[in-house]
Amino acid sequence: MQYHRITDIGDPYFRQMHELMQRVFPPEEVLEYELWAEPLQDPGIRVFVAVLDGEVVGATEYRYYEDLQVAMTDFTIIGRDGLGIGPFLARRRMADLRSVVAACGGTFLGMFAEIYNPQLVGKLEFGGVNAMNSFVRREVLAHLGYRKLDTDYVHPSWHNNGEAVHGLDLCFMPIADEEQVSVPASLVWSFLERYYAVLPQKPDAWYRMVENLKQRDNVALLPI
């Protein structure tokens, strides 16, 4: 299996990846095809696909914020069951991130990730791939070391229409200190403001969530 980075929408694997995203994720979670052109050219955004016999069978996007010393897993897609795509992506992503951190001469405190809560959103098909089932994905994140932040979470729709997307948990995987039980609230809201700066149309619920975090000192890390 090949771990291939995409930096341009003209990459022949990009269309395959975008079509895979449309099959797996709800529409409000998928950025329109043409709107990917600028983000892909950002050196800080790392988009990779798993390619098997010329076919994109998985994908992941992530980034590292040097000043905050944290990373964010934007998405992980497994296109087929039974090929070991998930472990392949997780290993290659972590190795790549550690090389990025080393090049910056920085520290790797941990990584954020969003995950659907099936008890809040009901049944989502995720393209019919068993490995993408919300219950399975939550167990995988738990085994990797992620824990959910103790806060009601909402994020802006990637349609940039000001709609609030509910039914997800924001999680964090501690790396520098695997035993930590909380994270500074300032780290959480600083990250969220940075991450969603690209979406000017944000719902009031998102602003209320951020303001609530600004009134707190720490946010507990809970089991997923």
Side-chain angles (χ1 to χ4, degrees), residues 117-132:
N117 186 333
Q119 297 182 8
L120 298 177
V121 299
K123 186 177 181 180
L124 293 173
E125 294 297 334
F126 292 106
V129 180
N130 292 327
M132 292 296 292

Side-chain angles (χ1 to χ4, degrees), residues 68 185-195 210 214:
L68 298 178
S186 58
L187 177 63
V188 181
W189 63 256
S190 296
F191 159 72
L192 290 173
E193 287 188 335
R194 177 80 60 81
Y195 185 65
V210 171
K214 289 182 177 180

